[in-house]
């Protein structure tokens, strides 16, 4: 009897010990990554980073064109992806419900949610780069839209499902057509939830590298023209991190720090928003 | 009269909005079909030229126009396997810690931190891997593996060769780190679906934490855990940036996991810019098509399993 107890106790100690060990190991590795990122990136932060364009080795350069390029491609991605994602999410929650189309779209959207981004990049390359004959920020933005839209579809649907049906019924009873009920009642009730989804999508789009390689391509010059190739932060990190020159490597780290900070800020804001909307 | 016109306009905009949402939903469908079709069309010249051999040939020689997918497929599978072997136990361990062992006030902050880490762009893991992890692998871990496991009969061949730092094992480990927060976040959510009364009942009859996890939590959530793990596998298979930096990009199959190799996504990322149109580009697109099919199957299975858990909950 005593043997059985001590055996069970011992097994419990070993296994919970392993769970503790896994936590310490996993969390410390992730903390190490963040610390090295801050350590290496922080030293390179200066005004030049935000005011000068990327330069060839030997010349003092910054990341201005890449930061602006990142913003432009993300805005393009958002301009295309947000209406698409929010409307599709609306269809699933308000019209589709359990119809066959809605079930299939939901399933496909979940797959798109984690589809390899490099494959999406190739698809947009075939669709928008090959026919036009040259790389463009527009193609990059469309690729980002394909990656960001599924996030917004998902959150919009989840959020609209939280709207109590009594609210819809009350509006319908006043004679409001369905679309007005959705636009003026349901959307308003879950506005911050939908914004959360949009922010999460922006965070995802900002950090993507692989799909931009064959679409936006990168550009060492400052450019605002969406029809031509454009730089972006992830692309320049990819390029400079493999560069043999110390100053370019340093800029890569600084860029990585800025990128991580931007992505974390977006996801923290999204989280705070959704937390505050749940309290209401 | 006015009223009729206003009503008519309302009706028009009402059905217009409905159609717009429906069209958007259809576009989501078309996107996925579009990916498959566009890649297949692009890949067709390579499939036609090499036939079924494309999947089994390890040739990759742009000057001779000989291409095969075996090296890249092999690298993709091996790096993902290494990543899963490490990230799944560790991730599940952290999830168990968070749901059963952790001091209550710390649960939320640690959980949130892990979810935030899951959103960090993969290129960050890549740059960290090449500057910090690769030297550590080269100076400490790989020599240690070579001297201890390298001479063992049976598995020694896995750890043969000089320590480069770059290689399949390094890529697998960086990949493991990248999917770790993801596995933790998903499995914690899945573990949270276990009704508290079930666990309390088990604790009440004297079960230890290990027994509760092993006999209540895991059996109850098995389908969901497998679904979450496969979702992570889908990510690992398609991941580009965390891998490209550290795998070494050698287009040759080597049995040693310390040797340099490549994956489908690393190969595409590295060579696409230099590929001339024709068979070379088409072969890379064919690789992309294969990756798409593999991840589609894995992700579809994952979603199917996760939806079964939702039905139960």
């Amino acid at each position: 009897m005593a043997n059985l107890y001590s055996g069970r106790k011992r097994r419990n100690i070993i296994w919970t010990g392993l769970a503790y060990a896994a936590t310490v190991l996993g969390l410390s590795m992730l903390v190490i990554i963040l610390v090295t990122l801050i350590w290496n990136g922080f030293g390179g932060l200066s005004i030049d980073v935000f005011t000068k364009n990327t330069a060839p080795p030997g010349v003092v350069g910054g990341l201005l064109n890449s930061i602006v390029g990142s913003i432009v491609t993300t805005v393009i991605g958002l301009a295309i992806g947000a209406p698409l994602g929010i409307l599709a999410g609306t269809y699933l929650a308000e019209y589709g419900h359990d119809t066959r189309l809605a079930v299939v779209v939901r399933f496909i959207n979940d797959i798109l949610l984690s589809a390899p981004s490099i494959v999406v990049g190739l698809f947009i390359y075939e669709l928008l780069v090959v026919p036009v004959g040259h790389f463009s920020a527009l193609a990059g933005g469309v690729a980002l839209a394909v990656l960001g839209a599924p996030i917004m579809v998902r959150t919009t649907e989840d959020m609209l499902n939280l709207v109590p049906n009594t609210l819809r019924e009350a509006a319908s009873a006043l004679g409001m057509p369905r679309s007005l009920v959705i636009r003026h009642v349901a959307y308003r009730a879950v506005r911050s939830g939908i914004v959360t989804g949009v922010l999460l999508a922006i965070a995802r789009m900002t950090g993507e590298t692989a799909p931009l390689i064959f679409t936006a391509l990168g550009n060492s010059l400052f450019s605002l023209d969406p029809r031509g190739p454009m730089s972006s932060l992830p692309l320049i990190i990819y390029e400079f991190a493999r560069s043999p020159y110390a100053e370019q490597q340093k800029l890569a780290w600084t860029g990585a720090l800025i990128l991580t900070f931007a992505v974390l800020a977006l996801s923290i804001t999204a989280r705070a928003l959704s937390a505050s909307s749940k309290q209401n | 009269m006015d009223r009729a016109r206003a009503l008519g306009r309302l009706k028009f905009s009402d059905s217009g909005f409905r159609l717009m949402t429906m069209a958007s939903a259809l576009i989501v469908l078309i996107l996925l079909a579009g990916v498959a079709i566009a890649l297949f069309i692009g890949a067709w010249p390579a499939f036609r030229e090499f036939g079924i051999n494309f999947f089994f040939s390890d040739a990759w020689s742009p000057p001779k126009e000989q291409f095969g997918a075996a090296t890249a497929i092999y690298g993709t599978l091996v790096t993902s396997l290494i990543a899963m072997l490490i990230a799944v136990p560790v991730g599940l361990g952290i999830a168990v810690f968070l749901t059963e062992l952790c001091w209550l006030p710390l649960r939320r902050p640690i959980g949130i931190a892990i979810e935030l880490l899951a959103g960090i762009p993969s290129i960050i893991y890549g740059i960290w891997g090449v500057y910090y992890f690769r030297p550590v692998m080269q100076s400490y871990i790989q020599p240690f593996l070579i001297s201890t496991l390298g001479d063992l009969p049976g598995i020694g061949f896995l750890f043969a060769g000089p320590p480069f730092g770059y290689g399949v094992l390094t890529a697998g480990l960086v990949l493991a780190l990248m999917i770790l927060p993801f596995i933790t976040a998903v499995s914690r959510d899945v573990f949270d679906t276990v009704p508290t009364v079930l666990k309390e009942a088990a604790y009440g009859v004297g079960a230890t934490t290990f027994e509760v996890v092993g006999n209540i939590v895991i059996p109850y959530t098995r389908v969901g855990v497998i679904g979450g793990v496969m979702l992570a596998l889908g990510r690992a298979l398609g991941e580009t940036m965390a891998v490209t930096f550290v795998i070494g990009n050698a287009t040759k199959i080597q049995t040693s996991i310390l040797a340099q190799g490549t994956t489908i996504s690393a190969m595409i990322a590295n060579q696409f810019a230099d590929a001339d149109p024709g068979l070379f580009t088409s072969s890379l697109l064919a690789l992309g098509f294969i990756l798409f099919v593999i991840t589609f199957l894995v992700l579809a299975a994952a979603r199917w399993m996760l939806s079964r858990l939702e039905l139960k909950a």
Side-chain angles (χ1 to χ4, degrees), chain A residues 109-123:
Chain A
N109 186 65
D110 278 349
I111 286 179
L112 272 179
L113 207 54
S114 20
S117 56
I118 195 159
V119 166
V120 171
L122 286 179
F123 164 57

Side-chain angles (χ1 to χ4, degrees), chain A residues 8 12 15 20 23 29 36 40 87 91 95 108 110 118-119 123 125-126 178-179 214 234 241 249 260 263 271, chain B residues 14 18 21 24 29 34 38-39 42 97 115 119 123-124 128 131-132 206 208-211 265 272 285 303:
Chain A
R8 284 175 56 203
N12 186 44
W15 282 96
Y20 279 110
T23 310
M29 286 309 279
T36 50
N40 285 284
L87 286 174
Y91 176 79
Y95 296 111
I108 294 299
D110 278 349
I118 195 159
V119 166
F123 164 57
Y125 170 84
E126 288 278 285
R178 194 70 178 274
S179 65
F214 344 103
Q249 294 178 0
T260 309
V263 169
R271 184 168 286 283
Chain B
D14 194 47
R18 187 194 146 86
T21 62
S24 303
L29 275 191
L39 286 182
F97 170 80
E115 279 168 31
I123 191 163
I124 307 297
W128 177 82
Y131 283 108
Y132 282 88
T208 61
T209 308
F210 164 66
E211 286 160 349
S265 50
F272 205 79
L285 287 167
R303 288 298 174 188

Side-chain angles (χ1 to χ4, degrees), chain B residues 38-55:
Chain B
L39 286 182
F40 188 76
I41 292 174
W44 181 241
F47 285 143
R48 196 183 41 203
E49 174 76 22
F50 303 116
I52 193 83
N53 269 331
F54 184 76
F55 295 90

